Amino acid sequence: MKNHLCFLLLLLALLHPLTAQDSDFSQQSFLLNGRNSAGNTTQRSNNNPINERADPDAAHWDIPTLDTAKGVDYLTGIEKDVILEMNKVRSDPAKYAELYIKPRFPHYNDKRYIVSETLSIVTKEGRAAAEECYNALKVMQGVQLLFPERGLALAAKDHVMDIGQKGQMSHTGSDGGNPVTRVEKYGAGYKNLGENITYGTSSGRDIVVDLLIDDGIPDRGHRDVIMLPGFTQTGVSAGAHTRFGIMCVIDYASGYVSN
């Protein structure tokens, strides 16, 4: 629904450093997807300060188990909410689909998603993308939870601070760096590495739901990154973006050890 970028590096070969031309190597364990749609730039209003936590919906979930970032002191409220929402869907995809994807169906009017009386978002696929997401999640098995990792969060923050103030949309930083170089600045030893980026979405649940629906992306690569069983660690950073108001970088890994 919003603008997203996705980077996935499955380490069949960490011996093959990522370079600019690797965006064509999807069959060789690199998956790089991008979206930049002028029709999808309407922003949701940010009703909650970035440091506040949203309602976790504790009636439906085991929040003490799923909220793995609760006690972390280097993440903001929205960043912790992103991790909580990812753990919800990873723990029980079918329940997540019922609670947060299906209720969106009536809000579509052709290609337009109606957020409120005064706000709507133009999508690529309309309700069809949400229905496809619902059906996919209903048959998925749960996977292990994600736990916050400081080095991944610092790498994500670097990218937000870099491209956010320049209004750019890319996995590549202004210095030519990429997710691999940013993550390796703060640690080492990872087996898998992935990155999702959203622009203009201002709550943890909306960020995760938009990535899961993955409107306009045929291979649903952002959803695949969130649900990849091989990931056990994550780092999140949300901050200002001059074009879209807010952006969020989510890095994923397994076996990563922060410096």
Side-chain angles (χ1 to χ4, degrees), residues 27-234:
Q27 304 96 308
Q28 299 179 349
S29 76
F30 293 98
L31 178 61
L32 178 62
N33 294 327
R35 182 187 315 189
N36 185 355
S37 171
N40 291 345
T41 58
T42 305
Q43 298 174 29
R44 291 188 179 91
S45 60
N46 189 2
N47 295 321
N48 297 316
I50 198 168
N51 284 315
E52 293 186 6
R53 300 294 303 268
D55 181 355
D57 194 10
H60 293 105
W61 301 95
D62 179 6
I63 300 301
T65 298
L66 300 175
D67 197 9
T68 57
K70 179 180 179 180
V72 169
D73 62 4
Y74 54 84
L75 296 174
T76 65
I78 187 175
E79 292 160 0
K80 293 179 181 180
D81 286 346
V82 169
I83 296 176
L84 173 59
E85 293 300 318
M86 290 192 296
N87 280 337
K88 286 179 184 178
V89 70
R90 285 173 67 92
S91 68
D92 194 334
K95 182 195 287 190
Y96 202 90
E98 288 290 342
L99 290 175
Y100 309 129
I101 306 299
K102 190 174 183 179
R104 290 191 167 216
F105 293 173
H107 295 275
Y108 286 94
N109 182 359
D110 193 26
K111 296 295 193 295
R112 190 172 292 274
Y113 181 77
I114 310 300
V115 180
S116 67
E117 291 183 357
T118 58
L119 179 62
S120 64
I121 299 169
V122 178
T123 70
K124 295 278 192 179
E125 302 174 65
R127 176 169 168 165
E131 291 179 340
E132 186 276 333
C133 177
Y134 172 83
N135 292 330
L137 292 178
K138 289 290 287 184
V139 298
M140 280 188 188
Q141 298 297 312
V143 296
Q144 57 192 321
L145 301 183
L146 297 169
F147 289 82
E149 185 65 35
R150 182 184 296 271
L152 298 177
L154 291 172
K157 184 176 182 179
D158 280 356
H159 199 45
V160 171
M161 297 297 291
D162 177 20
I163 71 167
Q165 64 182 352
K166 299 176 179 66
Q168 297 174 350
M169 296 176 63
S170 177
H171 289 285
T172 303
S174 61
D175 62 353
N178 56 55
V180 172
T181 58
R182 289 191 294 273
V183 164
E184 289 181 344
K185 177 181 178 181
Y186 296 105
Y190 55 86
K191 298 177 182 178
N192 303 310
L193 180 65
E195 181 173 272
N196 276 335
I197 305 177
T198 68
Y199 302 86
T201 310
S202 56
S203 78
R205 185 169 301 158
D206 284 338
I207 286 169
V208 173
V209 167
D210 283 353
L211 288 168
L212 290 169
I213 293 176
D214 220 0
D215 175 73
I217 302 298
D219 66 6
R220 311 302 191 203
H222 306 91
R223 182 193 307 161
D224 290 345
V225 171
I226 289 178
M227 299 304 298
L228 193 73
F231 289 140
T232 59
Q233 302 163 293
T234 189

